[in-house]
Amino acid sequence: MAAINPVAELTIDGEVATVTINSPPVNALSQSVRDGLKRGVEAAAANEAVKAIVIICAGRTFIAGADITEFGKPHAPPYLPNVLDLIENASKPVVAALHGTALGGGFEVALTAHYRIAVPSAKCGLPEIKLGLIPGAGGTQRLPRLVGVEKALDVILSGTPFGAREAKEWGVVDELAEEGKLHESALAFARRLIAENAPLKKVRDRSDKLEPARGHPEIFEAIRKANARKFRGFEAWEKAIESVRNAVDLPFDEGVLKEREMFMALLATTQSKAQRHVFFAERQTAKIADIGPDEPIRPIQSVGVIGAGTMGDGIAMNFLAAGIPVRIVETSKEALDRGVAIMRRNYENTAKKGRLTMAEVEERMGRLAPSLDFGALADADLVIEAVYENMDLKKSVFERLDGVAKPGAILASNTSYLDIDEIAARTKRPEDVLGMHFFSPANVMRLLEIVRGAKTSKSVLATIAGLAPKIGKVGVVVGVCHGFVGNRMLAERQREAMKLILEGATPWDVDRVIVDFGMPMGPFAMSDLAGLDIGWSAETSKRSTIREILCEEGRRGQKTSAGFYDYDEARNAKPSAHVEEIIRNFAASKGVAQRKIGDAEILERCTYPMINEGAKILAEGKAQRASDIDVVWIYGYGWPVYRGGPMFYADTVGLTTVLDKLREFEVKFGDDFKPAPLLEKLAAEGGAFSKP
Ligand code: 3H9
């Protein structure tokens, strides 16, 4: 065995040389990995005793792609395309031996080998699209040659990895190895190739799988049409289609060259920078500044949920899906039965779409124990309260829970706004209390705000932060303040949206601008969906706001087929002339002169106060880092990932631009726009939120 460099070594077993890459955590294609591959293959090729070469990786995975941290920095040789040419043009068979995740550039390395062998648990894929990129090392040219253009585009546009068994079926992988015996199987395979004098199979030389697409541009047009909605606002996907089309229309070398040009151009886009930012931001959230990896974790083997309403149901479903039994308690049998029936119906609907089997539905429902007895929560390791958003009610629930829950149980409130410390103070164990703010629908939305109270213990916080990914959530630790991170910033946008319609924009103007920006829906469509009567009461309503007038007129949102919009039976929204009139009259009664408001002002007034509030949240330490705020908005509210989250977006607009506009608005519209000191400081220093 000989070291090639610190991350690569070469071993010779008789006639077979093995190049092993060992660059934790994921063997990404850093300069030293590229160098190791190049020099390893060169040495093996030069050794006359060697008749075949195996490329394999140590650790948890085959090469998981280019080293994303190197993107945007000056690149040192050897360059990947040259390394790939070297592998493909080797005069001896090269076998790529795959385990873990062979992704992106890693999979592209494997595609230049003459043969591929994989353990059944291995996965292959081209996830570049998720980083706002297309494969840039031959993936769009070689994969269609192996599997045809439709399948290749499926892999490239979804970015979703496929398993080794599928890969074998599709002809991407030549052999399956026994699990845990990859190296010896690869050696045996290589020896067989030598014995059989097997040809050097170059994917680039194949064209049979491309034939069906030749002269059929309509195939690409159909794929384009089918994906247009999914990729609204994204740039990379059309390039991916174009590049795969090049595989059909152009000679291989030209196709590869064009692919590389498109990859490099995409790499420089704000979209790709934003998506790469989100990739790392998501992984950062798990890191809590004052909590080390040795913090003891409490086992969570059973969960209690208080309240079987919409939130309680959704919360319970996360745990049931993760294999954790749930006791759900309600005060009335009707509410309990209704909640349980809704959960079952939700699962059955998923089964109808083919994403669950009926056996899995039964398995999940079998983990649910509904109860009318509060005492049923006594042995739960974690209890999540999901009752109405009312401080007195929550306090009394926690007082009761304190008397029932076992010592060491974690007590969580699914509050969206309220002060966790005040709730915790009602128990004799505030160190065991924290907030777990799920987003509706709680079984779907990936965000979990983990609200750290003043007395929440480190082990409780570490336990819930560690639990989040197990129930499919991205957990972001936030501090106690009204609305935490997400809803506190949302309030800024909602306030401005209401002011804008008073001043002359229509609700549909505002919604259109926000949707064009990339959000899934605008503030008014969102209010209609949630229900305009949340927190509204007929007894106290005095037609003193537009919302009160709408509610008094029975326009309470989608559920009454009318809110800001009119809705038909299929819940399609239509602008309402009547609502425009209500707004006009209301503005007149308040002496607000209406004017024409441009799209730019709508966008700036809706987003800049959010950014400003984000700066205050950061300065107050209610979020650990700006990128955590970005993650909250991406996974909790559907902020377009290609804009990287509100704080990253502010950096791309330029903090001075944001600040100047806020100052201009402050003069025109008052204190709501008063710039946050942190924003002023960063702008003055030429700093950025994403560069702390
Ligand atoms: C590409 O290949 C372009 C080519 O077509 C053309 C090139 C010319 N680079 O996710 P985890 C870090 S584009 C650098 O927690 P898991 C990650 O930040 C690339 N670092 O583990 C984390 O660091 P930390 C195409 C990377 O087991 C640590 O590794 N490839 C990279 O849950 C562990 O990661 C991809 O997009 C990277 N490529 O999941 C694959 N990957 O511990 C991206 C990971 O400091 N990666 N890190 O927070 C993944 O999807 C997952 O990481 C993987 C492992 C499935 C591999």
Side-chain angles (χ1 to χ4, degrees):
M1 185 195 302
I4 301 166
N5 70 17
V7 302
E9 58 192 30
L10 183 68
T11 44
I12 312 281
D13 295 277
E15 292 183 320
V16 186
T18 301
V19 180
T20 306
I21 300 297
N22 186 4
S23 179
V26 297
N27 291 311
L29 285 161
S30 60
Q31 191 279 335
S32 46
V33 168
R34 298 193 301 272
D35 175 68
L37 279 173
K38 174 177 179 282
R39 289 206 277 141
V41 172
E42 274 172 352
N47 185 334
E48 281 186 9
V50 169
K51 301 279 186 276
I53 305 166
V54 169
I55 298 175
I56 197 167
C57 290
R60 67 204 225 208
T61 180
F62 190 75
I63 301 164
D67 184 345
I68 307 168
T69 61
E70 275 190 356
F71 286 164
K73 296 181 188 153
H75 231 50
Y79 304 111
L80 189 58
N82 300 344
V83 178
L84 299 190
D85 284 348
L86 182 79
I87 296 172
E88 193 164 52
N89 295 325
S91 55
K92 313 168 179 183
V94 180
V95 176
L98 315 180
H99 77 292
T101 41
L103 299 180
F107 184 43
E108 290 170 304
V109 168
L111 289 179
T112 56
H114 306 118
Y115 295 91
R116 285 158 290 283
I117 182 168
V119 287
S121 61
K123 286 194 158 70
C124 301
L126 293 169
E128 285 86 345
I129 201 85
K130 295 186 175 165
L131 301 172
L133 299 169
I134 64 169
T140 65
Q141 305 304 296
R142 288 193 180 86
L143 191 59
R145 283 176 160 79
L146 272 182
V147 302
V149 298
E150 274 146 325
K151 212 167 258 171
L153 270 171
D154 217 29
V155 170
I156 294 166
L157 292 179
S158 72
T160 309
F162 52 98
R165 288 188 201 284
E166 244 170 329
K168 173 82 170 56
E169 224 171 88
W170 296 353
V172 171
V173 154
D174 303 281
E175 285 262 320
L176 287 181
E178 198 180 321
E179 204 67 63
K181 294 193 174 161
L182 180 59
H183 190 213
E184 51 201 280
S185 308
L187 288 177
F189 182 44
R191 286 191 190 107
R192 222 168 62 225
L193 294 174
I194 297 168
E196 289 167 5
N197 202 12
L200 301 176
K201 290 210 283 184
K202 295 185 189 177
V203 176
R204 57 168 287 156
D205 292 341
R206 282 185 61 173
S207 64
D208 51 309
K209 289 278 166 63
L210 300 177
E211 291 309 329
R214 277 204 216 285
H216 290 290
E218 69 278 6
I219 295 180
F220 296 97
E221 196 41 39
I223 294 174
R224 221 183 62 75
K225 275 211 184 106
N227 281 280
R229 211 181 129 94
K230 172 176 158 200
F231 286 114
R232 181 177 69 92
F234 287 88
E235 289 165 5
W237 69 286
E238 300 228 39
K239 297 288 173 200
I241 297 176
E242 187 183 332
S243 195
V244 170
R245 192 170 166 181
N246 286 343
V248 178
D249 294 343
L250 302 178
F252 179 84
D253 288 324
E254 240 175 273
V256 162
L257 216 61
K258 286 220 180 312
E259 177 200 75
R260 186 83 186 154
E261 278 166 21
M262 285 191 254
F263 172 82
M264 295 307 288
L266 286 167
L267 201 57
T269 59
T270 302
Q271 286 208 349
S272 175
K273 285 179 194 154
Q275 289 180 251
R276 274 136 53 197
H277 162 76
V278 175
F279 176 85
F280 289 113
E282 188 181 329
R283 283 157 179 81
Q284 280 289 313
T285 60
K287 294 166 188 150
I288 308 170
D290 59 338
I291 299 184
D294 302 331
E295 191 61 44
I297 300 288
R298 300 188 191 176
I300 305 292
Q301 272 144 15
S302 65
V303 170
V305 174
I306 305 172
T310 313
M311 285 313 285
D313 282 359
I315 292 168
M317 288 174 76
N318 292 307
F319 292 96
L320 299 175
I324 302 173
V326 175
R327 299 229 148 151
I328 191 160
V329 297
E330 253 300 346
T331 46
S332 84
K333 182 155 171 16
E334 293 90 295
L336 189 63
D337 290 348
R338 194 172 49 237
V340 172
I342 289 173
M343 278 189 251
R344 173 171 283 284
R345 203 174 57 228
N346 277 340
Y347 280 140
E348 285 175 353
N349 284 340
T350 311
K352 272 188 205 135
K353 289 179 198 144
R355 295 205 298 264
L356 270 184
T357 63
M358 276 316 287
E360 283 166 329
V361 172
E362 294 310 328
E363 232 173 76
R364 290 181 186 194
M365 290 308 290
R367 291 186 196 111
L368 182 69
S371 176
L372 292 171
D373 173 15
F374 206 79
L377 303 167
D379 51 12
D381 297 318
L382 161 68
V383 181
I384 304 170
E385 160 278 306
V387 302
Y388 295 127
E389 190 74 344
N390 174 297
M391 184 52 113
D392 290 336
L393 178 61
K394 294 211 186 240
K395 280 180 180 169
S396 75
V397 167
F398 269 76
E399 241 169 43
R400 224 176 138 197
L401 184 57
D402 194 24
V404 167
K406 69 181 183 187
I410 296 177
L411 313 182
S413 171
N414 171 54
T415 172
S416 338
Y417 289 93
L418 300 175
D419 184 338
I420 281 292
D421 294 330
E422 225 183 298
I423 296 172
R426 285 302 178 96
T427 71
K428 289 183 229 44
R429 38 176 142 172
E431 66 284 359
D432 291 340
V433 177
L434 84 176
M436 287 176 76
H437 179 207
F438 289 84
F439 286 68
S440 187
N443 55 321
V444 176
M445 297 300 284
R446 294 211 39 221
L447 179 65
L448 174 65
E449 279 185 331
I450 303 174
V451 190
R452 182 177 195 168
K455 296 193 175 156
T456 307
S457 79
K458 287 185 183 179
S459 92
V460 164
L461 197 63
T463 301
I464 300 303
L467 182 68
K470 292 187 190 130
I471 56 166
K473 301 293 169 200
V474 180
V476 178
V477 177
V478 300
V480 177
C481 55
H482 189 71
F484 315 122
V485 169
N487 282 342
R488 179 170 160 183
M489 288 166 70
L490 179 68
E492 296 290 306
R493 190 185 81 178
Q494 298 301 89
R495 183 198 64 226
E496 284 312 306
M498 287 307 292
K499 277 161 58 185
L500 281 162
I501 61 170
L502 211 57
E503 291 167 32
T506 63
W508 4 111
D509 284 338
V510 176
D511 280 358
R512 176 183 44 77
V513 169
I514 296 300
V515 169
D516 285 351
F517 180 74
M519 300 290 297
M521 61 172 77
F524 296 100
M526 192 169 121
S527 300
D528 275 359
L529 180 66
L532 299 184
D533 54 355
I534 295 180
W536 172 81
S537 118
E539 291 78 52
T540 55
S541 188
K542 292 197 193 68
R543 299 181 83 81
S544 63
T545 62
I546 292 170
R547 189 173 71 118
E548 283 191 352
I549 298 169
L550 293 176
C551 283
E552 283 179 44
E553 289 199 3
R555 302 186 67 100
R556 298 186 187 167
Q558 274 198 20
K559 60 186 169 191
T560 57
S561 299
F564 283 99
Y565 292 83
D566 289 329
Y567 294 89
D568 62 18
E569 306 80 53
R571 298 212 162 179
N572 294 310
K574 227 177 53 220
S576 158
H578 178 55
V579 169
E580 283 187 43
E581 193 189 337
I582 291 176
I583 297 168
R584 239 184 347 260
N585 292 341
F586 187 77
S589 76
K590 295 282 166 197
V592 178
Q594 293 209 311
R595 64 190 164 94
K596 180 149 182 38
I597 301 180
D599 290 357
E601 181 180 335
I602 291 175
L603 184 64
E604 288 157 357
R605 281 187 54 189
C606 286
T607 53
Y608 290 6
M610 290 173 60
I611 293 162
N612 202 38
E613 198 63 26
K616 292 179 199 167
I617 286 170
L618 265 181
E620 291 166 23
K622 304 296 181 192
Q624 289 196 91
R625 38 186 101 79
S627 63
D628 280 6
I629 299 177
D630 290 334
V631 171
V632 164
W633 269 83
I634 283 167
Y635 289 117
Y637 302 84
W639 185 279
V641 61
Y642 57 78
R643 294 193 198 273
M647 308 317 277
F648 184 87
Y649 173 67
D651 289 346
T652 63
V653 171
L655 297 192
T656 313
T657 307
V658 175
L659 180 63
D660 289 350
K661 204 38 118 177
L662 282 169
R663 284 183 175 142
E664 181 192 319
F665 287 157
E666 187 187 11
V667 172
K668 279 193 198 155
F669 308 115
D671 278 355
D672 287 341
F673 295 92
K674 192 174 175 40
L678 177 64
L679 177 62
E680 288 178 318
K681 177 173 171 287
L682 284 174
E685 290 167 353
F689 289 116
S690 50
K691 272 189 251 139

